[in-house]
Amino acid sequence: MALGAVAEPPVRRRGSDYAQLSRRISQAGLLERRPGWYVTRIVLTLGAFVAGWVAVFLLGDSWWQLPLAALMAVATTQVAFLGHDAGHRQMFRRRGPSEVVGLFAGNVAVGISYGWWVDKHNRHHANPNHEDEDPDVGAGALVWTPEQALETRGFGRWMAQRQAYFFFPMLLLEGLSLHVASIKAIVGREDGKYAVPMRHRAVEAALLVAHTAAYVALLLAVMSPVKALLFAVVHQALWGLYMGCAFAPNHKGMPMPTAEDELDFLRKQVLTSRNVRGSRLVDTTLGGLNYQIEHHLFPNMPRANLRRAQPIVRAYCVEQGIPYAETGLVESYRQALGHLHEVGRPLRG
């Protein structure tokens, strides 16, 4: 759907609007790196992750492995958040250290391609919620616009009519989808060349193979094949669900600009994003993604500074007459599901 009319200053001021906000943020010191905070976060997160796998090894062939698999899904998602921060260079200004952390968090610990994810996520940040440019809202298992819904056929059309009801169950397959997409990105070719640009393709491939081999070997070494399979299903399904629930509130149900909408960077990022209110527990649970507006405006801002940046950004949006979307977590899901249900309306007659 088009954005429609938005109250905004004259066009001649648009080019300077983001620059003014950026100066305020920079003067507040919020773009400075937070090495101490990140060292603590990395130690605690990776410490919990490694401790979880040690517990899996020590627990052995027990059905208590299944609750532990659920806890490992939480730990895995928290490690993935570190990979997200590294991809945006929130930890280090230089590419090298950022890629080391990203490759370890993504390929080694989680089992997804860091290079593929960075390419995909950068395209999302460049044109959030843009149907033709944002890979996160392209037609697939879910459809995001009535036009996409009308193009579905067969089982896909049946699903599009009911996708709001299947959204959370489908997230249980998100982990598997990420693994498959990573493999396709590494080996996939189009017109005689690799389809996805990747700086360290051979390294990433080797790390993914090592991750998979170590994952399977550990599970089969300490528990029966049946328990190992169930552990993997619970772990991967809940990891996918957690990841999906962390990203779903950010843009789903927000305006989707088209080529006809002429928006400057500030408005393009703010109008398509939604913040989620909450305590520091929400900040930790969602990996800082609950400050989606601030994150999209300043992707390299350290996660710990987003909470402090929010009042500055919100006040500036009020000054500029730009709508600033913020809601509770449950309401954010309601709005996202409401959008999915509305998209399928043309198919329900």
Side-chain angles (χ1 to χ4, degrees), residues 159-199:
M159 280 292 298
Q161 296 178 42
R162 302 163 177 83
Q163 60 181 4
Y165 301 104
F166 288 103
F167 177 70
F168 287 111
M170 289 175 69
L171 288 181
L172 295 171
L173 298 175
E174 179 65 14
L176 176 61
S177 175
L178 292 173
H179 291 308
V180 172
S182 295
I183 296 172
K184 287 182 177 180
I186 288 178
V187 303
R189 301 175 71 91
E190 292 179 1
D191 300 325
K193 60 182 180 180
Y194 288 109
V196 178
M198 203 172 295
R199 284 171 53 82

Side-chain angles (χ1 to χ4, degrees), residues 295-312:
H295 171 58
H296 261 257
L297 289 172
F298 305 98
N300 63 348
M301 179 183 290
R303 191 196 313 178
N305 289 348
L306 293 171
R307 173 177 279 268
R308 294 168 55 200
Q310 184 189 31
I312 299 175

Side-chain angles (χ1 to χ4, degrees), residues 72-210:
M72 286 308 301
V74 176
T76 301
T77 306
Q78 289 295 321
V79 172
F81 288 153
L82 291 178
H84 171 270
D85 292 2
H88 284 294
R89 299 194 195 179
Q90 295 177 12
M91 301 175 181
F92 315 101
R93 292 189 184 278
R94 294 191 299 117
R95 171 181 286 175
S98 299
E99 289 186 339
V100 169
V101 174
L103 288 170
F104 181 83
N107 295 64
V108 176
V110 178
I112 64 173
S113 166
Y114 173 72
W116 161 74
W117 178 83
V118 167
D119 174 73
K120 174 176 177 289
H121 198 61
N122 284 344
R123 287 185 286 128
H124 158 71
H125 266 263
N127 291 284
N129 258 23
H130 192 295
E131 181 182 356
D132 299 322
E133 304 291 342
D134 184 354
D136 290 351
V137 293
L142 298 170
V143 292
W144 307 103
T145 67
E147 292 75 18
Q148 290 178 351
L150 290 171
E151 292 175 0
T152 57
R153 296 292 182 270
F155 180 71
R157 174 164 289 223
W158 184 87
M159 280 292 298
Q161 296 178 42
R162 302 163 177 83
Q163 60 181 4
Y165 301 104
F166 288 103
F167 177 70
F168 287 111
M170 289 175 69
L171 288 181
L172 295 171
L173 298 175
E174 179 65 14
L176 176 61
S177 175
L178 292 173
H179 291 308
V180 172
S182 295
I183 296 172
K184 287 182 177 180
I186 288 178
V187 303
R189 301 175 71 91
E190 292 179 1
D191 300 325
K193 60 182 180 180
Y194 288 109
V196 178
M198 203 172 295
R199 284 171 53 82
H200 309 289
R201 191 176 305 275
V203 172
E204 293 214 30
L207 292 178
L208 286 183
V209 170

Side-chain angles (χ1 to χ4, degrees), residues 285-300:
T285 302
L286 297 182
L289 298 175
N290 46 315
Y291 301 108
Q292 192 66 194
I293 295 174
E294 289 71 27
H295 171 58
H296 261 257
L297 289 172
F298 305 98
N300 63 348

